Amino acid sequence: MRRAAIAALLLGGCAVTPPPAATPGAVPMVAAVAETDPVDTAADAADDPAIWRNRRNPADSLVIGTDKQAGIHVYALSGKRLSFTPAARLNNVDLREIGGRVIAAASDRADEAQAHVALFTLDTVAKKLVPMGRFPVGPGEAYGMCLWTRARDKALFGFVVMKDGRIDQVAIDTRGATPTVRTVRSMKVGTQAEGCVVDDRTGTLYVAEEDVGLWRFAADPAAPVTGTAIARVDGTTLVADAEGLALAPSGRSGGYLVVSSQGDNAYTLYRLPGVTYAGRFRIGGGMIDGTSETDGVDLMLGDFGPGLRHGLFVAQDGDNAPETQNFKFVAWDAVRRALKLR
């Protein structure tokens, strides 16, 4: 389905043992309400999205998404591309509002021997990303990226997940004329990892080790660097690769952790804070084609205007044939109904 139809739709601890695996046909299917314009480059290109919600005018919110071959895009909720900022080999991206600005940070893997973070400000009026520079982090190939705002002092931190499983935490200071990015500690999982997300409420970092499962770490730089395994790749509820992570927070510590179960084109939910299995869904079955082999995801609760009153879920689509890859938009209410969530 293309632009006119999209617009019409928008207007109208340790892992707990999972339950017996459902057959593939029993996994609920949730239809996308919109899809972005395809990225300009072919093959493995689109990767990771991040959402900015416009509190004053929710329908004017924005989604940014990386094309890891060329740069980074800004999209409207209709899926229309509004702007593009060239940048070499950006992989994952996240954003936070801090100091009156919207700061976006992306893992920059242009130099596979020396990881970098690329920083941008999101101009929400012009609807474009303005580069602030790229900053060295440490040795290795930058892969995953997520941000955390510490509650007590609003300090901004980033977590750069290296392809070999090392996780470098950086302190990001954008108050001066030139931003500073300083590595403050390192953590490690055993094998290749990428997806990560931080729960700002609890200061908890979640990381997806692709062929193994999910880990959590304390996000504060003064905390121990040892992680706790919380969910495993078991081939039924979570199928390798475990990729993008996103949060649907509720209350002080509740809600859901969502992970891309890339190996079987699904998305797995875990109920917080105990990280207990809560169900799975796939995207498809509507007028827009479904998703497969999803890398990055993002989720934000709140009002995004007609059809998206309680939240927006965005997923990269690894096979958007006959066009190049893109991102699909799903109403969070549709996921809740499909999985009968509280």
Side-chain angles (χ1 to χ4, degrees):
M1 185 181 74
R2 294 295 169 241
R3 194 68 56 215
I6 293 170
L9 272 176
L10 280 174
L11 292 173
C14 290
V16 173
T17 302
T23 61
V27 177
M29 200 71 81
V30 178
V33 297
E35 63 178 333
T36 67
D37 291 326
V39 298
D40 292 332
T41 53
D44 187 16
D47 195 90
D48 190 47
I51 302 166
W52 174 74
R53 190 173 79 88
N54 187 329
R55 299 182 189 88
R56 295 182 178 180
N57 182 11
D60 204 30
S61 299
L62 303 171
V63 174
I64 63 178
T66 59
D67 175 344
K68 58 191 175 187
Q69 309 294 341
I72 190 164
H73 303 265
V74 177
Y75 301 101
L77 292 185
S78 66
K80 178 179 174 59
R81 180 170 58 189
L82 302 173
S83 64
F84 174 73
T85 302
R89 301 198 70 194
L90 300 183
N91 212 59
N92 283 193
V93 65
D94 201 2
L95 58 80
R96 288 291 190 277
E97 293 191 46
I98 191 162
R101 293 186 294 174
V102 181
I103 304 298
S107 51
D108 184 328
R109 57 194 293 208
D111 181 349
E112 294 184 8
Q114 174 65 60
H116 286 75
V117 169
L119 294 180
F120 304 84
T121 53
L122 176 60
D123 184 330
T124 58
V125 176
K127 301 177 181 178
K128 66 179 183 179
L129 286 159
V130 180
M132 301 173 72
R134 57 192 298 266
F135 304 88
V137 175
E141 182 179 354
Y143 215 41
M145 179 82 220
C146 53
L147 294 174
W148 171 49
T149 303
R150 188 164 58 188
R152 72 170 186 264
D153 57 4
K154 303 304 179 184
L156 181 63
F157 295 90
F159 295 87
V160 184
V161 182
M162 306 300 170
K163 196 170 185 178
D164 66 358
R166 193 180 84 248
I167 306 152
D168 282 358
Q169 181 174 2
V170 296
I172 302 172
D173 189 343
T174 60
R175 293 172 296 179
T178 301
T180 61
V181 175
R182 178 173 55 91
T183 302
V184 294
R185 67 167 176 163
S186 293
M187 297 157 282
K188 188 78 168 66
V189 297
T191 60
Q192 183 168 307
E194 181 178 1
C196 69
V197 68
V198 184
D199 192 331
D200 284 353
R201 303 169 302 168
T202 62
T204 303
L205 165 69
Y206 297 96
V207 177
E209 186 179 1
E210 295 183 357
D211 293 336
V212 176
L214 307 182
W215 296 81
R216 70 179 171 208
F217 298 82
D220 194 275
V225 297
T226 304
T228 300
I230 54 173
R232 60 189 172 88
V233 169
D234 58 9
T236 53
T237 58
L238 184 59
V239 181
D241 295 344
E243 289 279 348
L245 295 174
L247 289 166
S250 178
R252 292 185 177 181
S253 60
Y256 298 91
L257 174 66
V258 186
V259 54
S260 169
S261 179
Q262 189 182 72
D264 69 338
N265 308 321
Y267 308 90
T268 303
L269 275 69
Y270 298 94
R271 187 172 287 107
L272 298 173
V275 196
T276 55
Y277 175 79
R280 334 175 65 239
F281 70 97
R282 293 191 173 100
I283 297 175
M287 298 175 66
I288 299 173
D289 64 301
T291 58
S292 60
E293 300 180 356
T294 293
D295 284 327
V297 298
D298 198 16
L299 168 61
M300 183 171 286
L301 304 187
D303 183 11
F304 284 84
L308 297 167
R309 288 300 185 189
H310 296 99
L312 170 66
F313 178 73
V314 181
Q316 180 259 10
D317 183 9
D319 184 3
N320 190 45
E323 297 177 295
T324 56
Q325 295 177 342
N326 70 349
F327 301 89
K328 265 53 176 195
F329 297 175
V330 171
W332 180 241
D333 275 344
V335 176
R336 292 181 58 191
R337 288 193 299 269
L339 297 183
K340 299 180 174 58
L341 303 178
R342 294 194 297 269

